[in-house]
Amino acid sequence: MSENGTTQRMSSGSPSAESSKALRWGKLALLAAVIGGAAFGAQRLGFFDLRDPQRLAAAIRHVRQVRFIEPLFVIAYGIIASLGLPAFPLTLAGGAIFGLALGSSLSWLGALLGASGAYALARVLGRDAIHGLLGKLGGKLDALGERHGFTTILRLRLVPVMPFNVLSLASGIAGVPYREFLAGTALGIIPGTIIYTYFADSLVAGVSGAGHTAFVRATLAAVLLLAVSFVPALVRRMRRRPSEKQ
């Protein structure tokens, strides 16, 4: 066996390599524990009951007169979304409490804080272990995230085929640059946030057909913005064609 091969085997099996591997998996286990613990605590506290319109309406009546409700709302929204919990009830609550303009703004800000928190958690605690598991594919995933980060995040936010918190966590693991992740999220969540805030009173009251109407309008707005996101690529392609002919 060559000296280089012996050295490589010794380094891969050295105590420092083993401790590094254990640290990576320990951080991943901590990430799972944080998300799982948050879900368990939310269940015990009755947070998931807020998906019921009557319970949500009762909670809204209870907090309307709380002092400094605006910053507290944004902070609560950010923490809840950071921990991977569904924040949609808070979007409806924001519309019912603050109205369209302020409610949309506060929910949008809270969603950005929550997305950033989930992204940071995944990047700090989960990225190393997942990349160690993927091997060379991890590097390809990084390159893909760096090349198409903004447009990918924007389109997935506009048409949410992937849950909001899952996309935030996946972006942190995949190495999408934070500025591109934040910009894509900030633009992509605008249609849904505004429309569901607008229909908040009807949705909280359980008005028949309100949820369907809000979903259709949010989808139409998202599809329109999604089409606009393809315009720069189409313009570049049209500019290339004349040069290629020459």
Side-chain angles (χ1 to χ4, degrees):
M1 182 180 295
S2 66
E3 183 178 351
N4 289 338
T6 303
T7 304
Q8 185 176 0
R9 287 189 60 186
M10 289 178 63
S11 61
S12 62
S14 64
S16 60
E18 292 297 326
S19 62
S20 178
K21 183 178 179 180
L23 178 61
R24 290 198 302 267
W25 287 105
K27 290 195 294 184
L28 184 62
L30 178 59
L31 175 63
V34 168
I35 295 175
F40 177 76
Q43 178 68 36
R44 294 295 301 269
L45 294 173
F47 175 76
F48 295 112
D49 294 339
L50 296 179
R51 291 175 294 188
D52 177 69
Q54 293 183 350
R55 292 181 180 272
L56 180 58
I60 289 171
R61 289 193 297 269
H62 181 71
V63 302
R64 277 186 188 275
Q65 305 304 320
V66 174
R67 296 184 62 187
F68 308 112
I69 184 62
E70 293 87 354
L72 290 175
F73 175 84
V74 173
I75 293 170
Y77 200 121
I79 292 174
I80 286 169
S82 293
L83 296 175
L85 300 173
F88 181 67
L90 290 182
T91 300
L92 299 184
I97 296 171
F98 306 113
L100 176 61
L102 183 57
S104 297
S105 300
L106 295 177
S107 293
W108 178 81
L109 182 57
L112 289 186
L113 290 176
S116 298
Y119 174 96
L121 273 177
R123 196 168 183 86
V124 172
L125 297 179
R127 177 175 163 81
D128 290 344
I130 297 300
H131 275 244
L133 182 65
L134 293 176
K136 292 182 179 180
L137 288 176
K140 295 180 180 179
L141 192 64
D142 278 350
L144 184 64
E146 290 175 2
R147 284 199 306 269
H148 307 290
F150 171 75
T151 54
T152 299
I153 297 300
L154 175 62
R155 290 164 185 169
L156 289 175
R157 291 300 194 197
L158 287 171
V159 183
V161 294
M162 186 181 294
F164 182 88
N165 295 321
V166 173
L167 180 56
S168 300
L169 294 167
S171 298
I173 290 172
V176 176
Y178 176 69
R179 287 185 296 181
E180 297 187 17
F181 166 78
L182 187 64
T185 298
L187 292 176
I189 64 175
I190 288 174
T193 300
I194 292 176
I195 290 171
Y196 282 110
T197 301
Y198 177 77
F199 283 94
D201 285 333
S202 298
L203 289 167
V204 171
V207 175
S208 177
H212 176 72
T213 302
F215 175 78
V216 169
R217 294 193 183 185
T219 301
L220 290 175
V223 169
L224 178 60
L225 286 179
L226 182 63
V228 171
S229 74
F230 283 97
V231 170
L234 292 175
V235 171
R236 288 195 298 270
R237 184 172 297 180
M238 292 175 66
R239 287 178 176 175
R240 285 185 195 141
R241 287 180 180 177
S243 61
E244 289 173 357
K245 291 180 180 179
Q246 294 174 2

